[in-house]
Amino acid sequence: MNFLEERIVKDGVVKEGNVLKVDSFLNHQMDINLFDEMGKEFAKRFKDKPINKILTIEASGIGIASVVALHFNNCPVVFAKKSQSINLDGEMYTAEVESFTHKRVNHVIVSKKFLGPEDKVLIIDDFLANGCALQGLIQIVQSSGATVEGIGIAVEKGFQSGGRMIRNLGYQLESLAIVDAMDAKTGQVTFREQ
Amino acid sequence: MNFLEERIVKDGVVKEGNVLKVDSFLNHQMDINLFDEMGKEFAKRFKDKPINKILTIEASGIGIASVVALHFNNCPVVFAKKSQSINLDGEMYTAEVESFTHKRVNHVIVSKKFLGPEDKVLIIDDFLANGCALQGLIQIVQSSGATVEGIGIAVEKGFQSGGRMIRNLGYQLESLAIVDAMDAKTGQVTFREQ
């Protein structure tokens, strides 16, 4: 097991309905040392890629992406927003995504000022399940003429289809922990061998 | 002018209605080097405080807080959420806050698991205007029995009442840039001498 899998076993909580709660270290309280380890690992896995920008999505991707950026020459981090704000004027890239957690459709928005053909993008997010949010981000990068150099995820739910689909499209998708099964009765989490 | 004031003059945009857009470096695209400078400065200003936890609020506080934490012994960062999610079970602290940007009332929520009497809290956010969000965060810290050791803000709108009110309550509130006036016609920003 790697450091993230060990942490999930130690502090993650399995709930009914295939919910894995990691809110004590990943997406409500955030363990900055863990994020730093994640940054080191992503830097290793994407070391041949000319990454100059990180793209993530609010809210729980932002903390991870910001610390990960320290391992990619402190490159700028852009976070996609989930609803139109009056502070977002000018032209923007938009994509529709479905939220598993909130059970609704969101518009994902990135200002055109912050993504363009010169950008070599690493997409970072905390969770990958059905891949809807990720597809929205990829769509936005493509609309801008930028390149998706890689995708770094903390926890992938391997029993949902998002990861397979994204890999089939040819992207280098690196998930630090891939959960293939979990059992709410015993609390056991089964990780995919990587 | 300090580094943040200089950056605001260089890249901030003043819009009608007392809107200061800093989305190219602070709250949409994020300059990680700038956040690191901010962390250094907050560490200096709060050097006598025994801070062991940072509290912020989604979404635009998260990136700043995560990088600032590196200057406070990599302490954990908790971000308050703005609406009830099905992933947030158990008991939580809640406060009502009004959003200036989105013109609506939000519930701000922090799980009781992540704040308690042992926590010496530094509150971090990107903007302070009327102070509603900040009052919600302070209320939550107090409900938990934790202590507010200080409050670090990137940009304070000095012509709104939030900062004065919070300082009058006796909190050490440090804003790296206090905007006393701005002019959408000329684009000029006037900072308070600190």
Side-chain angles (χ1 to χ4, degrees):
Chain A
M1 282 199 291
N2 69 21
F3 64 97
L4 183 59
E5 293 165 336
E6 281 171 5
R7 186 60 176 272
I8 291 168
V9 167
K10 180 168 166 278
D11 292 326
V13 178
V14 181
K15 298 272 184 182
E16 292 294 343
N18 278 328
V19 171
L20 176 62
K21 283 182 72 78
V22 288
D23 60 352
S24 65
F25 56 97
L26 204 70
N27 52 19
H28 186 13
Q29 181 165 253
M30 305 188 292
D31 182 331
I32 301 300
N33 286 310
L34 181 77
F35 290 6
D36 197 49
E37 281 300 306
M38 291 168 54
K40 272 182 215 164
E41 181 62 27
F42 285 136
K44 213 180 291 177
R45 298 194 188 191
F46 296 108
K47 68 177 187 309
D48 299 326
K49 298 296 179 79
I51 289 154
N52 63 11
K53 192 162 281 187
I54 290 177
L55 176 66
T56 188
I57 182 163
E58 66 178 13
S60 41
I62 299 174
I64 299 170
S66 299
V67 176
V68 166
L70 299 166
H71 297 274
F72 289 87
N73 301 309
N74 292 13
C75 70
V77 177
V78 175
F79 65 88
K81 305 197 177 195
K82 275 182 186 155
S83 67
Q84 181 102 26
S85 143
I86 59 162
N87 266 355
L88 259 177
D89 64 2
E91 299 207 2
M92 6 195 162
Y93 303 110
T94 61
E96 271 191 3
V97 307
E98 216 175 320
S99 165
F100 174 74
T101 315
H102 296 90
K103 303 198 187 309
R104 65 175 177 225
V105 172
N106 283 310
H107 286 267
V108 170
I109 302 166
V110 173
S111 167
K112 289 191 177 176
K113 290 182 290 185
F114 307 132
L115 273 182
E118 68 288 0
D119 289 321
K120 313 286 182 193
V121 178
L122 174 63
I123 297 176
I124 292 284
D125 207 0
D126 59 337
F127 262 94
L128 169 58
N130 58 25
C132 286
L134 196 46
Q135 287 168 66
L137 294 176
I138 292 171
Q139 188 186 321
I140 280 175
V141 174
Q142 289 178 333
S143 308
S144 76
T147 312
V148 177
E149 294 289 343
I151 300 161
I153 300 291
V155 185
E156 177 181 335
K157 289 179 168 173
F159 52 87
Q160 289 191 248
S161 60
R164 194 177 58 242
M165 197 177 49
I166 301 286
R167 288 186 184 93
N168 283 345
L169 290 169
Y171 293 105
Q172 184 184 349
L173 165 61
E174 301 284 347
S175 300
L176 300 183
I178 303 179
V179 175
D180 269 342
M182 44 187 175
D183 186 328
K185 286 202 184 67
T186 63
Q188 201 177 346
V189 179
T190 309
F191 297 105
R192 186 176 304 173
E193 290 281 344
Q194 294 200 59
Chain B
M1 282 197 293
N2 69 22
F3 64 97
L4 182 60
E5 294 165 335
E6 282 172 4
R7 186 60 176 272
I8 291 168
V9 167
K10 181 168 165 277
D11 292 326
V13 178
V14 181
K15 299 271 184 184
E16 292 293 343
N18 278 328
V19 172
L20 176 62
K21 282 181 71 76
V22 289
D23 60 352
S24 66
F25 57 97
L26 204 70
N27 52 17
H28 186 13
Q29 180 166 253
M30 305 188 291
D31 182 332
I32 301 300
N33 286 310
L34 182 77
F35 290 8
D36 196 49
E37 281 301 306
M38 289 166 57
K40 272 181 216 166
E41 182 62 28
F42 284 136
K44 213 180 291 177
R45 297 193 188 192
F46 295 109
K47 68 177 187 306
D48 299 326
K49 297 297 179 79
I51 289 154
N52 63 11
K53 192 162 282 188
I54 290 178
L55 176 66
T56 186
I57 182 165
E58 65 177 12
S60 42
I62 298 175
I64 299 170
S66 299
V67 176
V68 166
L70 299 166
H71 297 273
F72 289 87
N73 301 311
N74 292 12
C75 69
V77 178
V78 175
F79 65 88
K81 305 197 176 194
K82 276 182 185 155
S83 66
Q84 181 101 27
S85 144
I86 60 163
N87 267 354
L88 261 177
D89 64 2
E91 299 207 1
M92 5 195 162
Y93 303 111
T94 61
E96 271 192 5
V97 306
E98 216 176 321
S99 164
F100 174 73
T101 315
H102 295 90
K103 302 198 187 309
R104 64 173 178 227
V105 172
N106 283 310
H107 286 267
V108 170
I109 302 165
V110 173
S111 168
K112 289 190 177 174
K113 291 182 290 186
F114 307 132
L115 273 183
E118 68 287 1
D119 289 320
K120 313 285 182 195
V121 177
L122 173 63
I123 297 176
I124 292 284
D125 207 359
D126 58 337
F127 263 94
L128 169 59
N130 59 26
C132 285
L134 195 48
Q135 287 169 66
L137 294 176
I138 291 171
Q139 188 187 320
I140 280 175
V141 174
Q142 288 177 333
S143 307
S144 76
T147 312
V148 177
E149 294 289 343
I151 300 161
I153 300 290
V155 185
E156 176 180 338
K157 288 179 169 173
F159 51 87
Q160 289 190 249
S161 59
R164 193 177 59 242
M165 197 177 49
I166 301 287
R167 288 186 184 93
N168 283 345
L169 289 169
Y171 293 105
Q172 184 184 350
L173 164 61
E174 300 284 347
S175 300
L176 300 183
I178 303 179
V179 175
D180 268 341
M182 46 187 173
D183 185 328
K185 285 201 185 68
T186 63
Q188 202 177 346
V189 179
T190 309
F191 297 104
R192 186 176 305 174
E193 290 282 344
Q194 293 201 62

